[in-house]
Amino acid sequence: MPASETVTRGLRISVETTYDPTRSSPQQSQWFFLYTIRITNEGPVTAQLISRHWIITDATGHVEEAKGPGVVGEQPSLAQGQSFEYTSGCPLATPFGSMRGTYQMTTADGQQFDAEIAEFILREPHAMH
């Protein structure tokens, strides 16, 4: 079951998360999480992912924003029925937190819209929340 899933204008965005102990160092207040995102175009219009905007919140309420072009160095264009999947990571200074955001999309005819990425939880398996 996905950690979060949303549909905006026919674009389904589902997220799965995992804790990465090999890249974490709890003694130094560093926890590292991986998230895999699958974007599927279920609508009739081709759309291209132009940029991303993340809002990352740790357990203390500290918020960071991350913006930039594309995802993992790509700006995928998805026609109806096509999917794009990638995995990226997020370091936190606490054993749990959350992420949410948007992808800025452009359709083949030049319309721009934000595809919502619903909030998902990042949690070290043994952390108490």
Side-chain angles (χ1 to χ4, degrees):
M1 182 165 165
S4 82
E5 188 169 67
T6 53
V7 179
T8 305
R9 291 182 60 171
L11 279 182
R12 179 177 302 275
I13 300 173
S14 60
V15 184
E16 295 189 14
T17 64
T18 185
Y19 171 65
D20 186 351
T22 65
R23 294 168 71 179
S24 299
S25 182
Q27 304 82 2
Q28 297 173 322
S29 296
Q30 294 176 343
W31 286 266
F32 198 86
F33 300 89
L34 297 171
Y35 54 90
T36 299
I37 298 192
R38 183 173 182 84
I39 306 164
T40 303
N41 188 348
E42 299 175 346
V45 178
T46 297
Q48 181 176 13
L49 191 158
I50 302 301
S51 62
R52 67 191 183 283
H53 177 201
W54 287 112
I55 299 167
I56 305 158
T57 307
D58 73 15
T60 68
H62 176 77
V63 175
E64 287 190 28
E65 293 191 48
K67 295 181 181 182
V71 289
V72 294
E74 298 189 48
Q75 292 181 313
S77 184
L78 302 172
Q80 183 176 17
Q82 290 184 321
S83 294
F84 180 80
E85 185 173 293
Y86 73 95
T87 299
S88 191
C90 176
L92 287 179
T94 59
F96 54 88
S98 67
M99 289 178 66
R100 62 185 170 89
T102 53
Y103 292 134
Q104 290 68 53
M105 309 294 297
T106 300
T107 63
D109 62 2
Q111 293 182 48
Q112 296 186 348
F113 67 95
D114 286 347
E116 182 185 353
I117 308 156
E119 183 176 51
F120 54 94
I121 302 301
L122 303 170
R123 188 173 84 80
E124 190 266 323
H126 306 294
M128 299 303 289
H129 188 158

